[in-house]
């Protein structure tokens, strides 16, 4: 989702923006299934670049090394400077969330491609309490001070594709992708 | 794999092994013959391309991959086909160029098989096999061609956007961006990047966005303008908006868009005057606390 | 408040203005130490202005934004003005897209302009001329 596509913040529905899949994530707490399976199917000709790296998120130092790793990956993929900043900032938000609200977790960085276009996929998983009110988590807590609320809305605006799987008591997984050229 | 297919594969492998040069030569010749394939490629380039493709084809056929998956699953072959297509796309060739190139390759391959056998059944199997392998190449090359052209179009659009949104230095520490045309998402990106970069390098204190050439201002355009203004302010410069024509002013008022936090002027020269006055008495740019 | 906190980030005094900067590798502990040291110095040096140079920051996320806003509030409460100077273009663009902004924080394009706002001039004589030009009528 590029900024400007939807000027109103606090969108509730979390959608995949590939026209082929049109998967709308149902985030009612009752539907607790972790739907990681369908994430990649149905997307035409999308392949992993084969270079996936996993990073633990269990300490303050890990937050720093995670940022460095993401920055290095954005350079490999060939993002512009502004896009690099977007991706690293989104990663910083997501990773901090996992650390503070999720009790720690893992970051996976993957180079992906779709036809001739390269992109970077960030997967942040934690096994914390999960998010019971996704609507609130996406509503910007920024007017009442950043660092409050989960701040997921911001990270979502910075990335092209954004999917979240969460349920109370089951932890949270966020999969966010940014492409070098708009899909 | 049926006996026929195994047999055909054997013949084809043999033909490629013994007549690799012939296949490459023949293919280049057929492409040149059909002027429709002209894509600004020299014969030397065509020949080099042919050698690579023949080699990859040979390598692929020797392996275990099924014929119809060969082109997509064999990394080297897939890459060779993609490059063939991109080369023509970038050269500005007609869309049919890639497809015709693949068809010409089929012909050259079949001719090479004929050098090794004249048995009708074998030739027929070989033709079927060649079709199975290269039809996938045709599909892949077409898809790649389209993506290649779209990438070029995107790049050219971007370049056009950059040229049409110049940032000019009107005065010491005063920059101006005359916007012409509508302010959509992509143009906003270009404007922000250009303008903020110029602020950094010229240490500007005031920027003026002139919207005389913007035909309509709706909520989306206003949103993009606000984003640009906010980014400029975060950097520590002021951002004025000039060139608000009476109908635009009315529309903005009717839509209830709140631009009260921005200094606005009807003309660029008025805005320049305000900018110069502001610079003479340095005040810091404080972002107003957002109203709840 | 016996031992002055030391966060490792230099804080210089120029007249009654404190000049400091933020570097990229800021974690929770360092941020707290920095805030403590800065507030101690504002009081100890009777500073009326604080310039925070962020031109080295390649990243401002919600954590850093919160620190900056808290620093601004704390400084104001202590009676000093604070200017955050030198935000990089890529960072500014990302911040607005993130939806953050820095409400209530004064900014300047670079340290020099920030210092000018806090009362420092490169050419002291021109200050009078500047003020006069400001009185020229403009609509």
């Amino acid at each position: 989702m590029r900024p400007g596509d939807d000027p109103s913040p606090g969108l509730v529905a979390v959608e995949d923006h590939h026209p082929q899949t049109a998967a709308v994530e149902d985030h009612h707490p009752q539907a607790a299934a972790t739907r990681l399976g369908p994430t990649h199917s149905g997307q035409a000709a999308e392949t992993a670049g084969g270079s996936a790296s996993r990073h633990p998120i269990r300490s303050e130092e890990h937050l720093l090394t995670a940022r460095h790793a993401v920055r290095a990956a954005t350079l490999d993929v060939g993002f512009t400077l502004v896009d690099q900043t977007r991706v690293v900032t989104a990663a910083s938000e997501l990773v901090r969330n996992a650390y503070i609200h999720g009790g720690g977790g893992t970051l996976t960085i993957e180079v992906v491609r779709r036809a001739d276009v390269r992109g970077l996929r960030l997967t942040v998983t934690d096994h914390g309490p999960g998010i019971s009110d996704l609507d609130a988590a996406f509503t910007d807590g920024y007017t009442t001070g950043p660092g409050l609320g989960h701040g997921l809305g911001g990270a979502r605006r910075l990335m092209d594709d954004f999917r979240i799987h969460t349920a109370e008591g089951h932890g949270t997984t966020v999969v966010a992708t940014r492409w070098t050229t708009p899909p | 794999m049926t006996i026929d297919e195994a047999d055909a594969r054997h013949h084809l492998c043999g033909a490629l092994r013994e007549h690799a040069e012939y296949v490459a030569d023949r293919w280049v010749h057929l492409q040149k013959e059909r002027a429709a394939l002209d894509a600004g490629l020299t014969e030397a380039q065509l020949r080099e391309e042919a050698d690579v493709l023949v080699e990859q084809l040979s390598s692929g056929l020797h392996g275990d991959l099924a014929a119809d998956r060969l082109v997509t699953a064999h990394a080297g072959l897939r890459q060779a086909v993609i490059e063939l297509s991109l080369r023509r796309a970038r050269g500005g060739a007609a869309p049919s160029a890639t497809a015709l190139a693949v068809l010409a390759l089929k012909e050259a391959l079949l001719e090479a098989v004929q050098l090794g056998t004249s048995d009708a059944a074998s030739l027929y199997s070989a033709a079927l096999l060649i079709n199975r392998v290269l039809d996938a190449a045709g599909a892949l090359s077409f898809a790649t061609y389209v993506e290649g052209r779209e990438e070029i179009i995107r790049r050219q659009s971007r370049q056009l956007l950059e040229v049409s949104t110049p940032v000019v230095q009107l005065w010491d520490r005063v920059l101006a961006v005359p916007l012409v045309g509508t302010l959509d998402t992509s143009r906003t990106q270009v404007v922000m990047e250009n303008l903020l970069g110029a602020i950094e390098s010229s240490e500007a204190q005031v920027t003026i966005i002139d919207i005389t050439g913007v035909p309509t201002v709706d909520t989306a355009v206003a949103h993009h303008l606000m984003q640009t203004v906010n980014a400029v302010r975060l950097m520590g410069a002021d951002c004025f908006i000039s060139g608000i024509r009476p109908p635009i002013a009315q529309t903005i008022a009717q839509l209830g868009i709140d631009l009260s936090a921005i200094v606005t002027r009807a003309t660029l020269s008025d805005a320049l005057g305000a900018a110069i006055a502001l610079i003479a008495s340095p005040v810091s740019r404080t972002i107003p606390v957002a109203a709840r | 408040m016996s031992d002055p906190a030391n966060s490792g980030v230099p804080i210089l005094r120029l007249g009654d203005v404190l000049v400091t900067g933020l570097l990229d590798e800021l974690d929770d502990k360092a941020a707290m130490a920095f805030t403590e040291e800065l507030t101690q110095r504002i009081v100890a040096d009777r500073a009326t202005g604080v310039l925070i140079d962020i031109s080295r920051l390649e990243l401002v996320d919600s954590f850093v934004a919160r620190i900056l806003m808290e620093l601004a509030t704390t400084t104001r409460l202590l009676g000093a003005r604070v200017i955050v100077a030198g935000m990089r273009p890529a960072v500014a663009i990302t911040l607005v897209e993130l939806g953050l902004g820095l409400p209530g924080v004064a900014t300047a394009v670079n340290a020099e302009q920030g210092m000018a706002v806090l009362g420092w001039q490169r050419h002291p004589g021109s200050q009078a001329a500047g003020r006069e030009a400001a009185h020229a009528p403009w609509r």
Side-chain angles (χ1 to χ4, degrees), chain B:
Chain B
M1 212 185 295
T2 64
I3 298 179
D4 278 344
E5 184 172 324
D7 186 66
R9 202 152 169 156
H10 172 76
H11 279 299
L12 193 51
C13 277
L16 278 172
R17 196 173 46 242
E18 286 173 39
H19 306 290
E21 291 264 338
Y22 173 83
V23 171
D25 280 338
R26 200 57 200 132
W27 186 33
V28 171
H29 178 79
L30 283 171
Q31 290 187 74
K32 284 172 62 193
E33 219 176 45
R34 295 150 198 189
L37 301 176
D38 260 335
L41 296 175
T42 66
E43 178 159 351
Q45 285 171 315
L46 284 175
R47 189 47 208 268
E48 200 184 307
E49 184 181 67
D51 285 338
V52 170
L53 204 54
V54 166
E55 187 190 317
Q56 291 300 329
L57 205 50
S58 211
S59 154
L61 282 168
H62 270 98
D64 293 327
L65 289 168
D68 52 4
R69 288 188 51 231
L70 206 62
V71 166
T72 44
H74 186 275
L77 188 52
R78 179 190 168 88
Q79 195 55 32
V81 172
I82 287 179
E83 275 168 21
L84 177 153
S85 194
L86 285 178
R87 216 170 276 130
R88 281 155 185 73
R90 290 186 189 131
S96 50
T98 49
L100 291 178
V102 173
L103 291 175
L105 179 57
K106 283 192 192 180
E107 237 180 276
L109 278 173
L110 199 52
E111 285 178 27
V113 172
Q114 272 182 306
L115 293 176
T117 177
S118 49
D119 172 48
S122 292
L123 286 176
Y124 182 69
S125 306
L128 278 182
L129 176 65
I130 290 171
N131 269 336
R132 219 171 278 140
V133 174
L134 290 183
D135 282 350
L140 176 61
S141 70
F142 183 70
T144 312
Y145 174 89
V146 170
E147 178 57 39
R149 293 301 292 169
E150 285 182 355
E151 170 63 33
I152 290 176
I153 291 171
R154 274 195 291 264
R155 209 174 338 126
Q156 288 174 341
S157 298
R158 172 113 190 165
Q159 286 167 349
L160 201 61
L161 267 182
E162 300 226 8
V163 168
S164 57
T165 50
V167 177
V168 294
Q169 178 144 12
L170 279 188
W171 200 262
D172 184 33
R173 314 273 170 133
V174 180
L175 298 175
V177 181
L179 287 182
V180 177
T182 189
L183 191 59
D184 59 10
T185 313
S186 41
R187 174 167 262 141
T188 309
Q189 291 298 319
V190 175
V191 169
M192 279 207 285
E193 285 181 37
N194 286 354
L195 185 54
L196 298 188
I199 293 172
E200 186 183 40
S201 53
S202 69
E203 300 181 336
Q205 272 180 257
V206 184
T207 63
I208 304 169
I209 300 179
D210 185 274
I211 61 171
T212 309
V214 175
T216 48
V217 175
D218 54 17
T219 42
V221 172
H223 170 73
H224 290 135
L225 274 176
M226 285 309 305
Q227 277 208 312
T228 309
V229 170
N230 287 337
V232 169
R233 286 175 169 172
L234 275 174
M235 272 192 75
D238 251 294
C239 191
F240 299 169
I241 296 181
S242 69
I244 300 183
R245 293 165 285 129
I248 301 287
Q250 280 175 315
T251 309
I252 292 175
Q254 280 159 5
L255 286 176
I257 299 169
D258 181 15
L259 295 182
S260 57
I262 313 179
V263 172
T264 57
R265 290 291 185 269
T267 67
L268 185 56
S269 61
D270 286 345
L272 180 58
I276 295 172
L278 184 69
I279 288 173
S281 57
V283 289
S284 70
R285 162 108 308 282
T286 302
I287 296 117
V289 180
R292 304 291 168 82

Side-chain angles (χ1 to χ4, degrees), chain A residues 3 60 64 67-68 71 82 85-86 88-89 92-93 96 142 146 154 157-158, chain C residues 24-25 27-28 58-63 66 69 90 93-94 97-100:
Chain A
E60 286 270 356
L64 279 175
R67 282 213 303 270
H68 287 152
R71 170 77 69 179
V82 187
T85 310
R86 288 181 174 118
V88 180
T89 306
S92 189
E93 297 290 299
R96 186 175 297 276
Y142 295 141
R157 275 188 287 275
L158 292 176
Chain C
D24 250 324
E25 315 303 350
D27 63 14
D28 245 337
E58 297 182 335
L59 189 87
V60 172
D61 59 5
S62 59
F63 174 70
R66 179 162 55 92
M69 283 170 49
I93 293 176
T94 303
E97 289 178 13
L98 201 49
L100 270 181

Side-chain angles (χ1 to χ4, degrees), chain A:
Chain A
M1 177 177 177
R2 299 273 161 157
D5 288 347
D6 179 15
S8 54
L11 256 192
V12 168
V14 181
E15 296 172 357
D16 172 39
H17 289 271
H18 283 298
Q20 292 99 326
T21 49
V24 178
E25 301 299 321
D26 175 20
H27 53 262
H28 291 300
Q30 291 83 12
T34 48
R35 272 177 250 91
L36 286 178
T39 302
H40 296 289
S41 68
Q43 292 188 9
E46 190 189 284
T47 53
S51 48
S53 61
R54 293 169 63 97
H55 306 262
I57 307 167
R58 263 181 271 291
S59 69
E60 286 270 356
E61 285 79 40
H62 287 155
L63 297 184
L64 279 175
T65 50
R67 282 213 303 270
H68 287 152
V70 174
R71 170 77 69 179
T74 59
L75 287 168
D76 283 341
V77 170
F79 281 109
T80 62
L81 179 61
V82 187
D83 277 347
Q84 286 172 37
T85 310
R86 288 181 174 118
V87 173
V88 180
T89 306
S92 189
E93 297 290 299
L94 294 174
V95 159
R96 186 175 297 276
N97 266 342
Y99 177 61
I100 296 197
H101 299 288
T106 319
L107 162 73
T108 306
I109 307 172
E110 261 180 291
V111 179
V112 290
R113 24 177 354 131
R114 199 190 54 235
D116 212 17
V117 180
R118 302 178 81 189
L120 200 65
R121 170 161 295 145
L122 307 170
T123 305
V124 181
T125 306
D126 70 64
H127 298 285
I131 301 173
S132 51
D133 189 348
L134 256 187
D135 296 356
F138 273 95
T139 306
D140 287 331
Y142 295 141
T143 50
T144 52
L148 303 178
H150 292 267
L152 289 171
R156 185 161 69 94
R157 275 188 287 275
L158 292 176
M159 303 296 274
D160 291 326
D161 305 334
F162 192 95
R163 264 178 281 201
I164 181 168
H165 309 265
T166 185
E168 213 166 338
H170 283 81
T172 305
T173 298
V174 175
V175 184
T177 311
R178 176 124 191 154
W179 301 97
T180 48
T181 50

